[in-house]
Amino acid sequence: MSNDRYNARESEPRWQRVWDEQAIFATRNDDPRPKYYVLEMFPYPSGRIHMGHVRNYTMGDVVARYMRAKGYNVLHPMGWDAFGMPAENAAMQNKTHPAKWTYANIATMKAQLKSMGLSLDWSREIATCDPSYYKHQQRMFLDFLKAGLVERKQSKVNWDPVDQTVLANEQVIDGRGWRSGALVEQRELTQWFFKISKYSEELLAALDTLDRWPDKVRLMQRNWIGRSEGLLIRFALDAATTPAQETEVEVFTTRPDTLFGAKFVALSPDHPLAAEAAKKNPALATFIEECRRHGTALAEIETAEKQGFDTGIKAVHPLDPSWTLPVYVANFVLMDYGTGAIFGCPAHDQRDLDFVNKYGLGNTPVVCPEGQDPNSFVITDTAYDGDGRMINSRFLDGMTIDQAKEDVAKRLESATFGNRPVAQRQVNFRLRDWGISRQRYWGCPIPIIHCETCGVVPVPIKDLPVKLPDDIEFDRPGNPLDRHTKWKTVACPQCGNAHARRETDTMDTFVDSSWYFARFTDPWNETSPTTRNVVDKMMPVDQYIGGVEHAILHLLYSRFFTRAMKATGHIGMDEPFAGMFTQGMVVHETYRKNDGTFASPAEIKIESDGDKRRAALLDSNETVEIGPIEKMSKSKRNTVDPDDIIGSYGADTARWFMLSDSPPDRDVIWSEEGVQGAGRFVQRIWRLVNIAAPHLPKAGTVAAHGDNADAKALRMAAHRTLADVSAAIERLRFNTAIAKLYSFVGALAEIADKPEKLTTDPVLAAAAREAFDILVRLISPMMPHLAEQCWTVLGGAGLVSEAQWPEPEAALLVDDTITLPVQVNGKKRGDVTVARDAPNPEIEAAVLTLDTVKLALDGKAPRKIIIVPQRIVNVVV
Ligand code: ANZ
Ligand code: ZN
């Protein structure tokens, strides 16, 4: 037995079957124990799982298994984020129906996840593309609509000309569609919006309560919401220069202190005053057209060259009626932020400075950095946005920025123009409402009917779900729903008009993932999205784990959606995720062939000669260059297929290595050598357990040690490891937990080296029994199959997956020995380990047994032994 190798390929599926048959991971909602909800971001069914999934789901599984052993009613579900573009692209390429493609991928990936031995409650599996899921999403859309949280409005949208769909601002990266990479265009469309901006203040403030979220994620959300306090200032327009009826322009500024440095006013190309001015100015109209053609995506505007057009209109300075400023239309002013108009202070704002430098408007610094001479302080190419004192600013001179802001605000609030105050304070948010309309087939239909008589009519709840039609064609780009006359034409539920038209837009797939976590609490409820007493009991998710790429959108949308669900009675809380963890990426070396193309890890072999490593192609032995370590990606071909790893090493080895090598929030370097090391460790544990098992007293034997030093040392090591591993898992420091286990196994190896000692020393044998029982339970969250197999060998009762987590004995955690450095004439010569409360004569006696001390004494008695209690011993010769 002890010579047998552990056969993961045979053992793993067997244990998975046992777990399945006994349904031990099925969670009961009426279980009276405290609940613990652990969730990993559910996958998009793209085809096969990748190593990033393996890492994500292994981490979640360790937490789930640990908390289950700790006595919690653990909810650990899995599902599929199943709507989205790739299914449609595949449909166009392969002439398969998106549903067929999606469900085939789900089947493949589910089998892969099962082979990982994850402790998931598969009875709760959901796919967002299933009508039994999206029906409830449609219901909530209608509830939100009734509650005033949904709005239909004309808006300028980012149009992806390749995917032929609208993109959210967040889906535009450097002016290009996040999936297609195509240059995004601007179009005016009527769209459905979720009014997330209603919650801006709340979403921001509540970030402070999320103390189990990474600081970086909270900061990213804070910036995204982008709260700024400022002033709305009304500038009067000089009548002689202004189109009829226009008398003023209002700007939003966060820097009213810089008003005396103002050089111009600028309008967004979409500002009504710009349109008015363009009526009599064809050149201006052309300029505005030009601006429109370029994107209004934020990134685009920030990088594009600043351009403006002088309208000829003059605006009156609000602090000096004799001072006028030119009014420009400028491409860097957004219509949907603030008021769509600004005043420019070039000395202290880089965009404004770039602008005036181009149009020769000059600049006047009004804030002087501390320690600079105001008379010689000039600005040329770099605006100064730091702290300082006011200069060149009349009555503000000498003030700090904050004092000047306050002074200007007070003055302009109490000044009037046309019977109204010149200025008022205002808080602005960058966060925009969430446009959810997508011109795609493979998404959740928006449950709305357009009737010529009644206008926008909600689909009656009894008619839900609005199902996607199955008979569609993907022979052309664009939205096949729009071309499906039969599906599209429907009777108006209000007036009966037979020629009403269904809304053909579907929802952004981010909607699907904004509430799946709540659905998991009762996916069997056919009449409502949630069951209130259940969802309120099982939510929030106690530990959510996923990639940092979702730090803004998905998490923010989910936080909004939960609030909207609360407002419409579907849940009783605001925050969906009490704890959040963002894991690092899986990275791998790259291999480049002579012809410049990449080779995959599966195609090469590595030979090492000392610390030199050579990579060569398996088939031709051609040397390939070992390139930088990068995120696993298809383009670099540095991916490793989880199936291959699980097939050759087993899931436990993959799980173990994935967790062992770096802190979970950092990148982990996947390497063949590393996996092999983990594989050897699996065999090592197996060998130890098999050597020791026949010599151990039966399971349940109580360990005691009395004055058996070996037994005591072993018990202390076991309980110390138990305490450390538990603490590490609780802090999600899986690599630390694993490091502790490596050294504990080292200690057990010494015992297993002398199995005969276990037979002659029953006290030591009982301690060893306890130690092995602890070991197997400690490895079980990471290597659950191996643990079950070892548990059987050790004669443990039931399944280790259902065993309780042991509690360390407090007395065994205090180390009651102490190691003191020993000096001879002030030079360190060694260490001595004694009982922590050993009296001085005992310490002296121990010191005198040290070889180094004996040597120095050369047979003589020491002159003096100085003991600094608990610190150091010095022998004076
Ligand atoms: C004058 C000024 C002087 C400004 C100065 C800045 C520095 P945040 O903090 O992001 O809210 N701004 C206002 N509305 C704008 C729009 N629609 N498009 C482009 N820029 C706009 O930014 C507020 C500042 O951004 C405002 O303060 C305004 O420029 C500009 F030394 O006003 B400031
Ligand atoms: Zn009607």
Short mmCIF file of all heavy atoms in Angstrom, two decimals, residues 536-556:
data_model
loop_
_atom_site.label_atom_id
_atom_site.label_comp_id
_atom_site.label_asym_id
_atom_site.label_seq_id
_atom_site.Cartn_x
_atom_site.Cartn_y
_atom_site.Cartn_z
N ASP A 536 -33.48 38.07 2.02
CA ASP A 536 -33.02 38.91 3.12
C ASP A 536 -32.20 38.14 4.14
O ASP A 536 -31.39 38.70 4.85
CB ASP A 536 -34.22 39.58 3.81
CG ASP A 536 -34.85 40.65 2.91
OD1 ASP A 536 -34.26 40.94 1.84
OD2 ASP A 536 -35.92 41.19 3.26
N LYS A 537 -32.41 36.82 4.15
CA LYS A 537 -31.63 36.00 5.07
C LYS A 537 -30.27 35.62 4.45
O LYS A 537 -29.25 35.66 5.12
CB LYS A 537 -32.42 34.73 5.40
CG LYS A 537 -31.70 33.74 6.26
CD LYS A 537 -32.61 32.55 6.58
CE LYS A 537 -31.77 31.30 6.84
NZ LYS A 537 -32.59 30.12 7.04
N MET A 538 -30.28 35.26 3.17
CA MET A 538 -29.05 34.73 2.56
C MET A 538 -28.12 35.83 2.03
O MET A 538 -26.92 35.61 1.88
CB MET A 538 -29.39 33.75 1.43
CG MET A 538 -30.24 32.58 1.84
SD MET A 538 -29.58 31.60 3.21
CE MET A 538 -28.41 30.54 2.37
N MET A 539 -28.66 36.97 1.70
CA MET A 539 -27.84 38.09 1.23
C MET A 539 -27.44 38.92 2.45
O MET A 539 -28.11 38.83 3.49
CB MET A 539 -28.64 38.95 0.24
CG MET A 539 -28.78 38.36 -1.14
SD MET A 539 -27.24 38.46 -2.09
CE MET A 539 -27.11 40.21 -2.42
N PRO A 540 -26.40 39.74 2.39
CA PRO A 540 -25.53 39.96 1.25
C PRO A 540 -24.53 38.82 1.04
O PRO A 540 -24.41 37.95 1.90
CB PRO A 540 -24.76 41.23 1.66
CG PRO A 540 -24.68 41.15 3.14
CD PRO A 540 -26.00 40.56 3.55
N VAL A 541 -23.88 38.85 -0.11
CA VAL A 541 -22.76 37.95 -0.34
C VAL A 541 -21.69 38.32 0.68
O VAL A 541 -21.31 39.48 0.80
CB VAL A 541 -22.21 38.13 -1.78
CG1 VAL A 541 -20.95 37.31 -1.98
CG2 VAL A 541 -23.28 37.76 -2.80
N ASP A 542 -21.25 37.33 1.46
CA ASP A 542 -20.25 37.64 2.48
C ASP A 542 -18.87 37.78 1.87
O ASP A 542 -18.07 38.60 2.30
CB ASP A 542 -20.24 36.53 3.54
CG ASP A 542 -21.57 36.49 4.27
OD1 ASP A 542 -21.76 37.32 5.16
OD2 ASP A 542 -22.44 35.67 3.91
N GLN A 543 -18.58 36.95 0.88
CA GLN A 543 -17.30 37.09 0.20
C GLN A 543 -17.49 36.94 -1.29
O GLN A 543 -17.88 35.87 -1.76
CB GLN A 543 -16.29 36.05 0.71
CG GLN A 543 -14.90 36.24 0.13
CD GLN A 543 -14.28 37.55 0.54
OE1 GLN A 543 -14.04 37.80 1.73
NE2 GLN A 543 -14.05 38.45 -0.42
N TYR A 544 -17.21 38.00 -2.00
CA TYR A 544 -17.30 37.98 -3.46
C TYR A 544 -15.87 38.00 -3.98
O TYR A 544 -15.02 38.71 -3.43
CB TYR A 544 -18.07 39.22 -3.93
CG TYR A 544 -18.60 39.16 -5.35
CD1 TYR A 544 -18.97 37.97 -5.95
CD2 TYR A 544 -18.77 40.34 -6.09
CE1 TYR A 544 -19.48 37.94 -7.25
CE2 TYR A 544 -19.29 40.32 -7.38
CZ TYR A 544 -19.65 39.12 -7.95
OH TYR A 544 -20.16 39.10 -9.23
N ILE A 545 -15.61 37.20 -5.00
CA ILE A 545 -14.24 37.13 -5.52
C ILE A 545 -14.28 37.23 -7.04
O ILE A 545 -15.07 36.56 -7.70
CB ILE A 545 -13.56 35.79 -5.13
CG1 ILE A 545 -13.65 35.55 -3.62
CG2 ILE A 545 -12.09 35.78 -5.58
CD1 ILE A 545 -13.07 34.22 -3.16
N GLY A 546 -13.42 38.08 -7.58
CA GLY A 546 -13.39 38.20 -9.04
C GLY A 546 -12.27 39.10 -9.50
O GLY A 546 -11.45 39.55 -8.70
N GLY A 547 -12.27 39.35 -10.78
CA GLY A 547 -11.17 40.11 -11.37
C GLY A 547 -11.34 41.61 -11.17
O GLY A 547 -12.45 42.12 -11.12
N VAL A 548 -10.21 42.29 -11.10
CA VAL A 548 -10.23 43.73 -10.85
C VAL A 548 -10.78 44.48 -12.06
O VAL A 548 -11.20 45.62 -11.96
CB VAL A 548 -8.82 44.23 -10.44
CG1 VAL A 548 -7.89 44.24 -11.65
CG2 VAL A 548 -8.89 45.58 -9.77
N GLU A 549 -10.83 43.80 -13.22
CA GLU A 549 -11.39 44.46 -14.41
C GLU A 549 -12.87 44.80 -14.23
O GLU A 549 -13.43 45.59 -14.97
CB GLU A 549 -11.15 43.61 -15.67
CG GLU A 549 -11.92 42.29 -15.74
CD GLU A 549 -11.23 41.14 -15.02
OE1 GLU A 549 -10.30 41.40 -14.22
OE2 GLU A 549 -11.62 39.97 -15.25
N HIS A 550 -13.49 44.19 -13.22
CA HIS A 550 -14.90 44.50 -12.95
C HIS A 550 -15.07 45.47 -11.79
O HIS A 550 -16.18 45.66 -11.30
CB HIS A 550 -15.68 43.22 -12.68
CG HIS A 550 -15.77 42.34 -13.89
ND1 HIS A 550 -16.39 42.75 -15.05
CD2 HIS A 550 -15.30 41.11 -14.15
CE1 HIS A 550 -16.30 41.79 -15.95
NE2 HIS A 550 -15.64 40.79 -15.43
N ALA A 551 -13.96 46.08 -11.38
CA ALA A 551 -13.98 46.92 -10.18
C ALA A 551 -14.95 48.09 -10.31
O ALA A 551 -15.53 48.53 -9.32
CB ALA A 551 -12.58 47.44 -9.89
N ILE A 552 -15.14 48.59 -11.51
CA ILE A 552 -16.02 49.74 -11.64
C ILE A 552 -17.40 49.30 -12.09
O ILE A 552 -18.35 49.29 -11.32
CB ILE A 552 -15.43 50.79 -12.61
CG1 ILE A 552 -14.07 51.26 -12.07
CG2 ILE A 552 -16.38 51.98 -12.72
CD1 ILE A 552 -13.39 52.28 -12.93
N LEU A 553 -17.52 48.91 -13.36
CA LEU A 553 -18.85 48.73 -13.92
C LEU A 553 -19.73 47.73 -13.21
O LEU A 553 -20.78 48.07 -12.69
CB LEU A 553 -18.70 48.29 -15.38
CG LEU A 553 -18.22 49.40 -16.27
CD1 LEU A 553 -18.42 49.00 -17.70
CD2 LEU A 553 -18.97 50.66 -15.93
N HIS A 554 -19.30 46.49 -13.21
CA HIS A 554 -20.16 45.43 -12.68
C HIS A 554 -20.49 45.69 -11.21
O HIS A 554 -21.64 45.52 -10.79
CB HIS A 554 -19.48 44.07 -12.86
CG HIS A 554 -20.05 42.99 -12.03
ND1 HIS A 554 -21.38 42.63 -12.10
CD2 HIS A 554 -19.51 42.19 -11.07
CE1 HIS A 554 -21.61 41.65 -11.23
NE2 HIS A 554 -20.49 41.38 -10.59
N LEU A 555 -19.51 46.08 -10.45
CA LEU A 555 -19.76 46.28 -9.02
C LEU A 555 -20.65 47.49 -8.76
O LEU A 555 -21.52 47.47 -7.89
CB LEU A 555 -18.44 46.40 -8.25
CG LEU A 555 -17.58 45.13 -8.24
CD1 LEU A 555 -16.29 45.36 -7.47
CD2 LEU A 555 -18.34 43.96 -7.64
N LEU A 556 -20.45 48.53 -9.55
CA LEU A 556 -21.28 49.73 -9.36
C LEU A 556 -22.72 49.48 -9.80
O LEU A 556 -23.67 49.84 -9.11
CB LEU A 556 -20.66 50.89 -10.15
CG LEU A 556 -21.15 52.28 -9.79
CD1 LEU A 556 -20.85 52.59 -8.33
CD2 LEU A 556 -20.48 53.32 -10.68
#
